[in-house]
Amino acid sequence: MKRFIFLLSAIMLTGCSREFVESMYDVNYEPTNRFAKNLAQLPGQYTKDTAAFDALVNSFSGNIEKRWGSKEIRIAGKSNYVKYIDNYLSRTEVNFSKGTIVVETIASTEPKEHLRKAIITTLLTPDNPSQVDLFSSKSIKLEGQPFLYKQVLDEDNQPIQWSWRANRFADYLIAHKLKVKTVDFKKAYYVEIPMVQDQIRIRSYQYASIVRKASRKYGIPEDLIYAIIKTESSFNPYAVSWANAYGLMQVVPKTAGRDVFKLVKNRSGQPSPEYLFNPENNIDTGTAYFYLLKNRYLKGVRNPLSLEYSMISAYNGGAGGVLNTFSRNRTRAMRDLNSLQPNQVYWALTKKHPSSESRRYLEKVTKFKKEFNANKT
């Protein structure tokens, strides 16, 4: 218990990074109520004033709890999008892993009209994360291409791009799919909207030209970039974690982002959340970090396949975690790693890595990489 309290105190005092947290604990980066106070900061706000940010996030989670109760706090994460509107009376959760969308309201007056507005907002939310404040109930300016375009079909099996179609589908859902439940002693009206079966593939196509450009620029295979994005965010451009990781490739500004700025781009400082919420910047930065892993931190790994396994593992748990799998002594670790066949390196990194999350991570990425190549043929 003391160690847990120390961890939370250290995070609040120093800021959190994936490497710092994983050096102490195996962490599932999906959002939980327990870690609501340590959410990543808002785009463009409180980049230096951490006290102001902590106050803001406490207020955000407190507003949710006031409306929905302590057991019904939902917050955006790596593979889910959550947005509150209507002074926290209505919300949407898109679960990209399950392919489901739940839109609900606890408004006590004219609940169907509140729900209708929330459905329309969900269907027309733009594909521009920098314009959507995930950590407030601010309204969204509905313009440009919807980020759920082609991933949801209306009652006529048509994609929803325009306001008239979104309005009509909202009316249909309320007339035919409306459900009611009790939330914190309140009546909640909601609808469940299924996403199309190939919703992940549809989102991945949006970034094909960006992935190709980054692949050629840094010499990192396209299939590896796609597999990392699928593992990190399920191609959710709004992905954010309490560990201060942002966007499609879940780049941590203070670690990978800072390294890329300094060692690849010759820039000072670190990327801002706005910078990383831009898909092109995010994929470029994440791929550039792979370039550093390949050509700097793990350049001593001789076998190309062993190097790839090491890079994948290091993207999640750091290069130090990879080497510590083989020995605490860096020179000996590299020697031992190079003495093994690639399948033995894979076995060690998926069975003996200090972090259980990093062990699973390498398995997921290699699986998605195989799936990507199988679907290409």
Side-chain angles (χ1 to χ4, degrees), residues 75-117:
I75 293 173
K78 286 174 63 173
S79 59
N80 70 323
Y81 164 90
V82 179
K83 178 66 178 116
Y84 292 82
I85 62 170
D86 226 2
N87 196 22
Y88 295 93
L89 289 172
S90 304
R91 71 182 178 190
T92 292
E93 179 169 15
V94 181
N95 188 314
F96 294 104
S97 298
K98 296 179 180 178
T100 58
I101 301 169
V102 176
V103 188
E104 53 191 336
T105 187
I106 50 172
S108 57
T109 58
E110 299 185 329
K112 291 183 182 179
E113 187 54 36
H114 284 264
L115 183 61
R116 183 177 185 276
K117 177 184 175 183

Side-chain angles (χ1 to χ4, degrees), residues 167-179:
N167 277 268
R168 194 181 71 167
F169 189 41
D171 290 337
Y172 169 83
L173 289 170
I174 291 171
H176 299 283
K177 304 294 182 180
L178 184 65
K179 297 180 180 181

Side-chain angles (χ1 to χ4, degrees), residues 259-273:
D259 281 357
V260 168
F261 266 28
K262 179 181 178 182
L263 301 172
V264 179
K265 299 184 177 296
N266 295 316
R267 294 176 59 174
S268 61
Q270 64 190 43
S272 65

